[in-house]
Amino acid sequence: MKKIVLSLFFMAIAGIAMAQNAILPQNITIKALDGSSVQTSAIQNDGKPMIISFWATWCKPCNRELNTIKEIYADWQEETGVKLVAISIDDARSASRVKPHVDGNGWEYEVYIDQNQDFKRAMNVVNVPHTFVVNGKGEIIWQHTSFVEGGEEELYEVVKKALAETETAE
Amino acid sequence: MYLSMKINLKPLSLLTLFVVAAMGAYAQGIMGGHVTGNIQLDGQVSRQDSVIGAADVPEKILMNARADILYTNGNFSAGLRFEAYQNPMLGFNAKYKGQGIANYFAAYNGDKLSVTMGNFYEQFGSGMILRAYEDRYLGVDNSLLGLNVALRPYEGVTIKALAGKQRYYWEYGDGIVRGIDGEVSLNSIIKPWAEGKLRATLGAGFVSKYEPDQTITSTTNPAYRLNLPLNVGAGAVRADLNYGNWSLQAEYAHKGQDPSIMNNYIYREGEALMINATYSQKGFSANLQAKRVDNMSFKSVRSESGEMLYINYIPAITKQHTYAFLSMYPYATQTTGEMGLQGDVMYKIKKETLLGGKYGTDIHLNGSIITGIDTTRIGGDGTLGYTSEWFKTGDLYYADASIEVAKKLSSALKLTCTYGYQIFNPIVEGHEGALHHNHILVGDLTWKVNRKNVLRFEAEWMGSDSKYDPNVDDKRCGDWIMGLVEYNFTSKWFVSVSDQYAYRDGVGNYYNVSVGYNHGATRLQLGYGKQREGLLCIGGVCRQVPASNGLTFSFTTSF
């Protein structure tokens, strides 16, 4: 038993060393704000980069991150066409607060609720906030956990880089 | 009593072999696919401290570790989770002691069909009849080991079916859980409604648990043995309606006779109703929630009284506060019976107005009140237990009200001020006592000195009519003050220093120094001092932490 675990572990480490960029998981069911079920394959941005941000209504740093980006989101969209998709991991206790929270804060993001946390597990999110940048091909090219004021500038650098790569590839 | 882990060794070895083979193939570039995962390690070098409730730990170092390895190739995925508790950290059940593969699965996720074999998590509706979930920081893992199938025959229609046994620390409970759930989005199946303003999703589910018979004698009359139902069913119906700025969610659940240790083996049927109404538009939202729960504890093993083997989940509707003193008395749902109301208003005062100033001001109001249900006793175990008048309330369990004002003062300064008032009845934690009345003030200032340096200051005060009593040993009693300073250098490094001190009628002085480093999805944190259990938000993330005294360390990474 121990040997299996160990060998598996080392195989995994070897795997990581060789890993290319993972792609965004498809066909995981999440909820739209109107309560309908949506597959994660619907998360798209016409070949432009996307920011996928896992957050929760009760998470202060998450709210600081999304509120900070809110101020500059229109500029980001105009300059790069980037789209921010906010995935709430609120569970049954607070999931019903997500829609009023999003509207109350005046967020213009595409928001989904991952109540069963299937998407969270598939993306290996441990703590929130956890933010990913996905390039035009749907590959995850960057991720970061935690948010501190100023972190949005680093995030935007990555988005611009992702856009430049996509454009060169074309 | 519980199925041994060993029984699962064979499929486990096969699966392991398969995953290893798949990864080998991947490494050679034959199959493609991706290996991802995450690793988490938490530890504490603990010293005894009876004042804060940190126990004497002979092994000195306590550690919880886990690693998830996930292999994905197109629609196929498989995963393994290794967990080790050597020994379990404070606040985690001693039954976690040990290590091994705690979770494994193989899954196919297609457009119309999803199948998971092995351990899985699932939820029907809001979870009032079924929620298999995990909360790694609370040590809760109700994952089901079995088969889970979801069918999506038409767009907007989902049918789920599952069967399995629930995880019980390192074993699985004896009870078998089976369930079926259907959900329909009316806008998808009724063509004229496709673009309609009314968005409607309806759902219904049914869950049945089977458990072998056992001998339980009546406490009131030991000559009688209880005639236990071997199969217990629970059903629920739900609706999610949205019309323009309005939305309404409602769910009703009913459970058959389910005598268990949780309800003292009474035969009364259970029910729960939850309604949530929201009005929201950009910059303003109002939300009202109501619920009534009567005898709805639903476990797959009738004699289990701890935190495990819950089939369903009845959420608390009180706001989940993040500041230390506001969350010092968290409300725990009374699954045996409670009624509650909760209201929440968010309002953004626009920019360039008298109160809004240059950047606008955010105001957030919240209030809730939770009471017991009315009960008239019929008898003890073996009887229907009690009758209850639907609209009549019982004792006050919990009430709170809070106002939070957040304001950006300049491009560098942001201030959040909160006032909260709480009434807490210790009966919700299982002991009789006087109500606690608490006033709480919080000030939270973030100062972005420049692009790379950010400082955060937090000051909190709590005034309470409660006094510390060594016989009850509730260490939260009394009046408290707290200060916290956090320095962040870019989003990579942080240092935080904090102290919580009971300055009147209480005991305890929780000082803490933490240092952390973030790089990408890797985070390393070291702390020294005394930590109260609860939600901790420092250095840019929020997580639940156990009580500790001494050195703590935490490492997480995702790849």
Side-chain angles (χ1 to χ4, degrees), chain B residues 374-410:
Chain B
D374 156 73
T375 56
T376 307
R377 187 181 152 90
I378 299 172
D381 50 10
T383 72
L384 289 175
Y386 58 87
T387 57
S388 177
E389 249 183 80
W390 224 85
F391 289 100
K392 205 168 151 188
T393 57
D395 293 339
L396 178 69
Y397 284 164
Y398 182 88
D400 77 345
S402 64
I403 174 166
E404 182 174 294
V405 180
K407 184 146 183 53
K408 197 167 165 179
L409 303 174
S410 70

Side-chain angles (χ1 to χ4, degrees), chain A residues 1-2 4-5 7-9 11-16 18-23 25-29 31 33-37 39 41 58-62 64 67 70-71 91-94 96-97 99-108 115-118 120-130 142-154 157, chain B residues 9 12 16 19-20 23-24 26-27 34 36-38 40 67 69-70 75 80 82 99 101 109-111 121-123 125-126 131-132 134 136-137 152 183 199 201 240 242 276 278 280-285 287 289 313 315-320 322-323 342 344 346 348 351 366 404 446 448 451 454 456 488 491 518 520-521 523 539-543 556 558-559:
Chain A
M1 184 72 189
K2 262 187 186 162
I4 298 175
V5 172
S7 57
L8 178 75
F9 201 72
M11 288 302 292
I13 301 293
I16 302 157
M18 303 186 168
Q20 314 144 336
N21 293 328
I23 54 162
Q26 311 284 302
N27 294 328
I28 290 175
T29 306
K31 292 252 173 192
L33 289 184
D34 68 0
S36 60
S37 296
Q39 305 289 104
S41 52
W58 43 262
C59 164
K60 289 271 169 206
C62 306
R64 285 209 299 269
N67 276 323
K70 182 184 79 175
E71 305 287 328
D91 70 7
R93 175 170 182 182
S94 48
S96 59
R97 287 175 205 278
K99 189 171 189 281
H101 191 93
V102 167
D103 286 343
N105 277 305
W107 295 344
E108 306 268 357
Q115 224 188 98
N116 195 36
Q117 306 195 344
D118 289 323
K120 174 180 174 237
R121 270 187 291 275
M123 298 285 278
N124 291 293
V125 170
V126 180
N127 293 311
V128 283
H130 192 138
W142 184 87
Q143 53 180 311
H144 187 85
T145 171
S146 87
F147 176 78
V148 173
E149 280 71 8
E152 73 280 5
E153 292 167 29
E154 188 189 349
E157 293 302 316
Chain B
L9 199 61
L12 173 63
T16 309
V19 174
V20 170
M23 285 198 293
Y26 156 68
H34 296 279
T36 60
N38 64 81
Q40 175 173 6
I69 308 288
L70 200 62
N75 290 339
L80 276 179
F82 175 77
Q99 61 183 11
I101 303 286
N109 279 299
D111 289 336
Y121 299 98
E122 186 54 274
Q123 176 172 334
S126 65
R131 184 176 183 228
E134 61 154 340
R136 61 170 81 188
Y137 295 123
R152 290 175 287 275
E183 193 171 282
R199 318 296 301 172
T201 304
D240 191 324
N242 295 270
N276 178 55
T278 302
S280 67
Q281 62 181 57
K282 200 180 166 191
F284 173 77
S285 68
N287 167 247
Q289 247 180 322
Y313 177 77
I317 56 175
T318 55
K319 184 180 175 184
Q320 193 161 5
T322 37
Y323 291 112
Q342 184 268 139
D344 195 82
M346 289 176 85
K348 186 174 248 341
K351 290 176 191 177
N366 184 277
E404 182 174 294
T446 303
K448 188 177 169 187
R451 193 181 157 155
V454 178
R456 193 169 76 83
N488 294 276
S491 49
N518 290 302
R523 178 182 174 85
V541 303
C542 284
R543 58 166 293 188
T556 56
S558 303
F559 49 85

Side-chain angles (χ1 to χ4, degrees), chain B residues 357-435:
Chain B
K358 191 179 169 191
Y359 299 99
T361 302
D362 294 311
I363 296 180
H364 190 169
L365 302 167
N366 184 277
S368 62
I369 181 161
I370 316 285
T371 70
I373 54 170
D374 156 73
T375 56
T376 307
R377 187 181 152 90
I378 299 172
D381 50 10
T383 72
L384 289 175
Y386 58 87
T387 57
S388 177
E389 249 183 80
W390 224 85
F391 289 100
K392 205 168 151 188
T393 57
D395 293 339
L396 178 69
Y397 284 164
Y398 182 88
D400 77 345
S402 64
I403 174 166
E404 182 174 294
V405 180
K407 184 146 183 53
K408 197 167 165 179
L409 303 174
S410 70
S411 60
L413 287 173
K414 192 177 174 190
L415 179 68
T416 304
C417 294
T418 308
Y419 164 74
Y421 177 68
Q422 292 172 335
I423 306 172
F424 180 82
N425 189 340
I427 197 80
V428 301
E429 292 175 353
H431 30 86
E432 304 262 344
L435 296 176

Side-chain angles (χ1 to χ4, degrees), chain A residues 54-68:
Chain A
F54 283 79
W55 68 286
T57 56
W58 43 262
C59 164
K60 289 271 169 206
C62 306
N63 287 299
R64 285 209 299 269
E65 174 169 35
L66 294 171
N67 276 323
T68 303

Side-chain angles (χ1 to χ4, degrees), chain B residues 74-205:
Chain B
N75 290 339
F76 175 80
S77 61
L80 276 179
R81 187 198 306 156
F82 175 77
E83 292 182 15
Y85 304 87
Q86 302 289 27
N87 280 332
M89 286 170 72
L90 299 173
F92 285 75
N93 197 303
K95 288 177 184 150
Y96 270 118
K97 187 172 171 170
Q99 61 183 11
I101 303 286
N103 182 302
Y104 56 93
F105 72 91
Y108 170 82
N109 279 299
D111 289 336
K112 293 194 184 297
L113 173 74
S114 299
V115 182
T116 307
M117 281 165 282
N119 290 86
F120 61 86
Y121 299 98
E122 186 54 274
Q123 176 172 334
F124 291 171
S126 65
M128 289 205 293
I129 56 166
L130 183 124
R131 184 176 183 228
Y133 75 107
E134 61 154 340
D135 190 323
R136 61 170 81 188
Y137 295 123
L138 299 179
V140 174
D141 189 339
N142 290 336
S143 78
L144 283 159
L145 177 67
L147 182 69
N148 187 17
V149 179
L151 271 176
R152 290 175 287 275
Y154 310 103
E155 204 197 322
V157 178
T158 309
I159 298 159
K160 295 176 187 169
L162 59 85
K165 291 191 168 196
Q166 282 186 297
R167 179 175 176 191
Y168 183 78
Y169 306 105
W170 287 103
E171 298 168 338
Y172 288 87
D174 264 350
I176 302 173
V177 179
R178 301 150 297 188
I180 185 159
D181 185 80
E183 193 171 282
V184 177
S185 163
L186 297 184
N187 302 87
S188 297
I189 59 159
I190 302 173
K191 286 284 165 276
W193 286 25
E195 298 301 317
K197 210 175 175 191
L198 176 71
R199 318 296 301 172
T201 304
L202 305 178

